[in-house]
Each structure stands twice: as structure tokens, then as C-alpha cells.
């Protein structure tokens, strides 16, 4: 831009750079309100949250507010329940995403072949993803897991005996509901991947003597890799923040056995009214999430634009 | 190694109103290089894919080494195929691509490496063994696809237009390499192309297909010298054979005012017909010598020769192309054209079938 084509006595560079600056500001100015809005609704609350986290402040005791430095963070680090919630979050997220991905791949492989009524089956399989999360959780809590009239107990009762699933296996029950909701998403992503698989490559493998399972392992799975990575990362970003199912199905209980981090923070903030503590947890969780998400997103972007891209 | 036999083999795609390949009969000898050629949509690829087990054989049968292939999946046919777009495995290196079929057949790792290296040496692929297909040029991918076929040492090679994605020069070069490689390995090969030059230069025998039906199955020389009908006559050779509808008059042909005498055998063949389609190749017309007057519309200089395109002065609707030495004729000129009676092809005016020897 600043390269001058002909020698000139006038300091062309300064004139040009001033006008460039004007031009670029005239382009940026219309975007400014949006930027201000984003800062006001995201960054300002974040800064306020950090400030809260440095105070001891419980709404139940008016006038208790005082600056305590990092004491809240020390407390978070030593809070056993927080650690349980952290473990639960990891287990719930990893379990949900991995299991729904495995089932999603299997269903996608089934849907990738032609059979009578395929579009009906596909629509039915997608439906769980379209149900509102709260409604789905309510449905699972009552119609499926209810100890007196739930379908799960009715079907499994004769095999494994009468079990109150939501209190015996609270985290697993929540996970089952979330897997039910997330499988269609994984299935759709993987199906898109399967349909972009070149047919002549599959034919070539068949001629080369590969059996269907070998073709799946040697060619289809590597081709699906980036679709699976995308599904896992997107799924994890959502599932890590899951609140509805836990709130509806178990309320985090019994005890904290099915509490995840968002639910624990909610409890501390809106049931315990401990603003300082919950703000500190929020900051810790946010920092952790950003760290994990950054690594995960970098992983997807390299696999979508990087060297491994399928030809 | 094995012979291949198409026996009334038929393929009908679901929903199609006529067979894509209609009762095809081909007897391919062990070690032979056979080319299937025809215009686009003539069923060449389908015929090949039936052999490879990628399309159903709906009627008739195909035998490889005497074994009936109906219902046998591709993986049990012991064939190797080179696809038009090569169909290399994108996530595997060149070496893994080439070794894949051996791996699928449970060949040990050392043996696999040895054979891949051997094939790579044959095709000049050694420096590329560690690369992924994405990082190869078109010509290199083509060679990898060939390499993947030859490491197998299969009974039959199937090749579906393997050169059509290469540029003209590379295509000519690779053409001779593939033909030489096949002769050296002695593996029965069925090769599909729409390019009659490829067919003529590569094949031991060539099968010409049209609309799923076999027109002629013969050596390139035979196809050129004795095409069985007008379609084959027009398809083989470039520029195409001249075709003129002419009158038959007392055992001779009348082209405008000129009388072309026929041999005794030809005269017998056209007996009873009042008109006949005369076919004559551009190189069998003598330019400058004959009595038939041709007005030159265009001269195509090829360097070694030139082709003279024009129309008959007596019958302006009839256009002809003739081969001449270079630089002798100019546009707009009128030249004399002569026929060599020994080099005429006669076809039935309605059915297009060849008449006479
Ligand atoms: N998968 C298919 N489904 C239906 N018809 C097909 C299919 N593949 C090819 N055909 C039809 O079969 C005929 C022969 O096709 P093909 O063998 O591909 O011709 P070629 O290779 O000689 O160009 C064409 O008329 C084509 O439209
Ligand atoms: Mg084709």
C-alpha cells in the first residue's frame, strides 16, 4: 500500500496513511455498536464476576460483604463437593459424547444403505434431537425411569429385579437421557461424512479383496475421522454445560452424586446465595472450559484444513 | 492367468428400458490385451464392471479361467482394477495403497514390502512410496493405480479409461508403457476406452460396442480393413471414412458423372441393389489424379501430410476428405479425385451392413 510509484517531493506516505486510516475507520465505525454491545453483555459481567469472586458476600447475611482476596479460590480448591462435581462433569461429558458417537456411527452406517422405509426410520431417529431438552428430561424421569410406572423398570424388572434407577444410578440415568438426545446429532454428522465417501474407493477396496468390515476399518473410519472429531468437540461444548436434565431428573442428588459443575454453581449461587464462592467457581470453570475448548477447536481446525484432508 | 469368456452376458440397470450391455459374447484368450471401445454410453464401463463384479450379471454368464462368476463377489474373483479417477485410498501412503490387497489376502509384512518395492521399481515409484495420494501429480497417481494392480499378480486386469485424466502428451507416453508392461507380465487384460487411437494402438483385439451391443470383435488391422458395418467404419480411423450414397449401374458404381468399376466379388455382392453406400478412407483417395471434381473447402496441414476437405462439384451436398502430400492444394481450388477400386468398402444402404469381401 505504501509503495510509491514515482519519486516525489511531497511526503506522499504521510498523506496516504492518514487517508487510509480515515477509510478504515469509516469501515469500522458501523461495526462499533455491535462491539460495544458484545463488551457490555459479556466482558463487563465477566469483570464484575471476577470482582465478586474476590469478596466474601452472602445474600442471606446483609452487610457481610467484604474484600477477602483469593480466599474464595482457596476454598474452591479444597472443596470436596466441588471436586466431586468436577469428576461428575468429566464423566458425564465424556460418557455422553463417546457413547452417543459410537451409537451414532452404527446408526449412520445402517442408514447409509438403501432399504424400504429408510426415510421414515431416519426421521424417527432424528426426533429425539428435536425434543426440547427440559421436556425430554421430564419424559425420561416419568415415563421411563419412574419406579412405579416407568417403562425401564417394567422391562428390566423381571431380568434384574426392581431398581429405583434415578436414586441407585443417578449419574448413569442422566447420562442415558443425554445419550438419547445427542445420538441423532452424532448420527447426522457421521451420515454426512458417509455420504461424502467416494464410491469408487470402496469399490476398489472390494476388488482388492477387502471384506465389508475391513473396508470400514481401513477406509471408512479414517474418512470419518474429522466428522467424528467435529461431533465430539461440538457435543462436548454443549454437554459440559448441561443443566436441564440434572435439574429435572435428579436435582443433582442423592447428595451430590449427580451434580455437575453448572448445577453445583447454580446451587451455591441461587440456593445458598453465596455470591463470592459461586463467582470464584464460575471463574475457575470458565478458565478450564476455555482451555479445553481451545485445544479441541485447534484440533478440529487442523483436521479440516490441514494436511490430512481427504482428496 | 486365465482366459475370460463373456457368454450372452447382459446387464439391465433398474429402471432402464433397455439393457446397458446386451447379450455380449467375447472370448478372450489367456494373456490377451482386449480393448472395449465405443462412444460414450455404449456400455463399455458396464461390461467391464460386470467382469469385476461391480455390476450384476442379469442374464448369461462371465467365466474367468472356466469358472462361472455369476454371484461371486469382487473380492473372490482374483482380478485387479484401475479406475478412471484412480480411486486411490486417500488416507494411505503410496506403499500402503499398493500393498493393501496383499494385506487383505493375509500376505506377510516382509513379503508385502518386497513385492511393493518390486512393483515400485518397475513403475519408477520408489521415491514416492511414503507420500499420500494428495501430494502426487496426475501422472504419478495413474502410476500408483497401475502399481496397485500389478503387485497383486491377478488373473485379469480391468482398466476403465485409465488415461483419460492425463494430458495429451503423457497419455501417448503412458499408453505405450502400459502396453509394454502388459506384454511383459502376460496378464489377461480388458481395457476400456472411448479413444479409437488408444484402442488401435494397444489392443491385441478390439471389441467395438454401440448401445450395449457388440458390433465387431477383431484385430485392429481387421477392424480397419474390413469393418462389418457403417458404424465401425465411421468409428475407427481419423479422419473418419468417407461415406457416399451412390447408384449401382451394371456392376459398377456411378459417382456423379464418374464410373467406378467394381471387382467381380464386389459386383456379385451388390447385385440386385440400385443404390449402395460407398466407404472410402481419406488415404485411399488419390488427389490430383482422378476425373471426379472436388472443390476444396479447407486444407488441414499436419506437417507430415495434409488433409483436403471439400465437396463434389457435381453433387455439392456430398463432402469428402482426402489425404494429400503437404502444401500442394489451396482453398477454393478444384482438384481431380481418383478411387482405387481395390480399397473400396461397400455397405447396404439401409442396414449399413458390409457387402462383399
Ligand atoms: N448406475 C447406473 N444406473 C442406471 N443406468 C446406468 C448406470 N450406469 C450407467 N448407466 C447407463 O448404462 C449405459 C451404459 O453406461 P456405461 O457403461 O457407463 O457407458 P460407457 O462407459 O460406454 O460410457 C448408459 O446408457 C448409461 O446411461
Ligand atoms: Mg465409462
Amino acid at each position: 500500500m505504501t509503495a510509491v510509484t514515482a519519486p516525489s517531493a511531497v511526503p506522499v506516505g504521510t498523506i496516504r496513511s492518514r487517508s487510509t486510516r480515515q477509510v478504515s475507520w469509516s469501515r469500522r465505525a458501523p461495526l462499533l455498536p455491535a462491539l460495544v454491545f458484545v463488551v457490555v453483555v459479556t466482558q463487563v459481567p465477566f469483570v464484575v464476576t471476577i470482582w465478586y469472586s474476590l469478596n466474601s458476600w452472602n445474600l442471606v447475611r446483609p452487610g457481610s460483604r467484604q474484600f477477602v482476596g483469593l480466599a474464595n479460590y482457596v476454598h474452591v480448591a479444597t472443596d470436596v463437593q466441588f471436586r466431586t462435581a468436577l469428576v461428575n462433569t468429566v464423566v458425564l461429558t465424556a460418557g455422553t459424547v463417546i457413547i452417543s458417537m459410537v451409537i451414532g456411527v452404527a446408526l449412520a452406517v445402517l442408514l447409509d444403505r438403501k432399504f424400504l422405509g429408510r426415510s421414515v426410520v431416519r426421521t424417527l431417529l432424528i426426533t429425539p434431537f428435536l425434543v426440547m431438552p427440559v421436556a425430554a428430561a421430564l419424559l425420561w424421569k416419568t415415563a421411563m425411569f419412574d419406579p412405579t410406572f416407568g417403562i425401564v423398570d417394567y422391562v428390566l424388572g423381571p431380568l434384574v429385579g426392581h431398581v429405583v434407577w434415578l436414586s441407585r444410578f443417578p449419574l448413569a440415568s442422566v447420562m442415558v437421557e443425554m445419550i438419547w438426545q445427542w445420538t441423532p446429532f452424532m448420527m447426522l454428522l457421521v451420515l454426512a461424512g458417509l455420504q461424502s465417501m467416494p464410491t469408487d474407493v470402496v469399490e476398489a477396496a472390494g476388488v482388492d479383496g477387502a471384506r465389508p468390515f475391513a473396508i470400514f476399518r481401513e477406509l471408512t473410519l479414517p474418512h470419518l475421522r474429522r466428522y467424528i472429531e467435529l461431533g465430539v468437540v461440538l457435543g462436548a461444548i454443549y454437554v459440559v454445560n448441561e443443566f436441564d436434565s440434572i435439574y429435572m431428573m435428579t436435582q443433582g442428588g442423592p447428595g451430590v452424586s449427580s451434580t455437575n459443575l453448572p448445577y453445583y454453581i447454580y446451587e451455591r449461587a441461587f440456593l445458598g446465595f453465596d455470591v463470592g464462592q459461586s463467582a470464584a467457581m464460575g471463574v475457575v470453570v470458565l478458565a478450564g472450559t476455555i482451555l479445553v475448548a481451545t485445544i479441541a477447536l485447534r484440533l478440529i481446525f487442523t483436521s479440516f484444513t490441514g494436511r490430512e484432508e481427504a482428496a | 492367468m486365465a482366459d475370460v469368456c463373456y457368454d450372452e452376458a447382459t446387464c439391465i440397470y433398474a429402471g432402464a428400458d433397455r439393457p446397458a450391455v446386451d447379450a455380449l459374447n467375447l472370448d478372450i484368450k489367456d494373456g490377451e490385451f482386449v480393448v472395449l471401445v465405443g462412444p460414450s454410453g455404449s456400455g463399455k464401463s458396464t461390461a467391464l464392471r460386470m467382469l469385476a463384479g461391480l455390476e450384476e450379471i442379469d442374464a448369461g454368464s462371465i467365466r474367468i479361467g472356466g469358472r462361472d462368476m455369476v454371484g461371486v463377489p469382487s473380492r473372490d474373483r482374483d482380478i485387479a482394477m484401475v479406475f478412471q479417477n484412480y480411486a486411490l485410498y486417500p488416507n494411505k501412503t503410496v506403499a500402503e495403497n499398493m500393498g493393501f490387497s496383499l494385506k487383505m489376502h493375509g500376505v506377510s509384512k516382509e513379503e508385502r514390502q518386497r513385492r511393493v518395492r518390486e512393483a515400485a521399481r518397475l513403475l519408477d515409484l520408489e521415491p514416492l512410496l511414503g507420500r499420500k495420494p494428495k501430494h502426487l501429480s496426475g501422472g504419478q497417481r495413474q502410476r500408483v493405480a497401475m502399481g496397485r494392480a500389478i503387485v497383486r499378480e491377478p488373473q485379469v486386469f480391468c482398466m476403465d479409461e485409465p488415461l483419460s485424466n492425463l494430458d495429451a502428451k503423457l497419455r501417448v507416453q503412458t499408453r505405450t508403457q502400459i502396453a509394454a508392461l502388459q506384454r511383459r507380465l502376460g496378464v489377461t487384460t480388458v481395457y476400456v476406452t472411448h479413444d479409437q487411437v488408444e484402442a488401435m494402438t494397444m489392443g491385441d483385439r478390439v471389441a467395438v460396442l454401440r448401445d450395449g451391443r457388440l458390433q465387431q470383435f477383431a484385430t485392429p488391422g481387421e477392424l480397419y480393413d474390413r469393418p462389418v458395418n457403417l458404424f465401425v467404419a465411421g468409428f475407427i480411423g481419423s479422419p473418419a471414412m468417407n461415406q457416399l450414397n451412390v447408384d449401382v449401374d451394371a456392376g459398377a458404381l456411378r459417382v456423379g458423372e464418374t464410373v467406378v468399376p467394381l471387382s467381380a466379388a464386389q459386383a456379385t455382392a451388390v447385385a440386385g441393389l440400385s443404390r449402395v453406400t460407398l466407404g472410402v478412407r481419406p488415404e485411399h483417395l488419390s488427389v490430383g489424379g482422378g476425373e471426379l471434381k472436388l472443390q476444396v473447402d479447407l486444407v488441414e496441414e499436419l506437417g507430415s501430410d495434409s488433409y483436403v476437405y471439400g465437396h463434389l462439384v457435381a453433387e455439392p451436398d456430398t463432402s469428402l476428405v482426402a489425404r494429400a502430400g503437404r502444401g500442394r492444394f489451396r482453398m477454393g481450388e478444384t482438384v481431380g479425385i481418383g478411387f482405387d477400386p481395390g480399397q473400396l468398402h461397400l455397405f447396404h444402404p439401409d442396414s449399413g451392413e458390409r457387402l462383399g469381401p
Side-chain angles (χ1 to χ4, degrees), chain B residues 3-132:
Chain B
D3 55 329
V4 172
C5 176
Y6 284 75
D7 182 7
E8 300 286 314
T10 303
C11 175
I12 308 172
Y13 284 112
D17 47 359
R18 58 173 189 78
V21 171
D22 196 353
L24 180 62
N25 283 308
L26 293 176
D27 250 313
I28 301 168
K29 293 197 274 292
D30 187 9
E32 202 174 13
F33 193 121
V34 165
V35 179
L36 303 182
V37 71
S40 175
S42 57
K44 319 174 288 285
S45 296
T46 308
L48 187 74
R49 290 168 59 84
M50 287 161 78
L51 174 62
L54 302 172
E55 296 305 340
E56 293 289 326
I57 303 167
D58 293 313
S61 73
I62 294 178
R63 290 186 294 276
I64 299 178
R67 195 159 78 93
D68 191 354
M69 286 296 139
V70 176
V72 177
S74 305
R75 62 171 180 270
D76 298 331
R77 293 193 181 195
D78 198 11
I79 49 166
M81 180 140 171
V82 179
F83 289 78
Q84 182 167 359
N85 297 315
Y86 316 135
L88 301 180
Y89 309 130
N91 56 302
K92 297 188 181 298
T93 63
V94 169
E96 287 166 345
N97 260 281
M98 290 170 61
F100 184 72
S101 64
L102 298 177
K103 185 173 167 190
M104 290 299 112
H105 286 96
V107 175
S108 75
K109 196 160 179 191
E110 296 74 46
E111 171 75 359
R112 228 149 69 199
Q113 274 174 347
R114 190 184 62 74
R115 279 164 72 173
V116 165
R117 189 139 302 156
E118 202 175 301
R121 193 164 44 238
L122 211 57
L123 290 163
D124 264 344
L125 285 171
E126 278 173 310
L128 306 178
L129 282 176
R131 288 212 209 158
K132 294 272 175 81

Side-chain angles (χ1 to χ4, degrees), chain A residues 44 137 193 209 218 229 265 305:
Chain A
V44 172
E218 298 274 343
E229 281 172 0
I265 295 171
T305 58

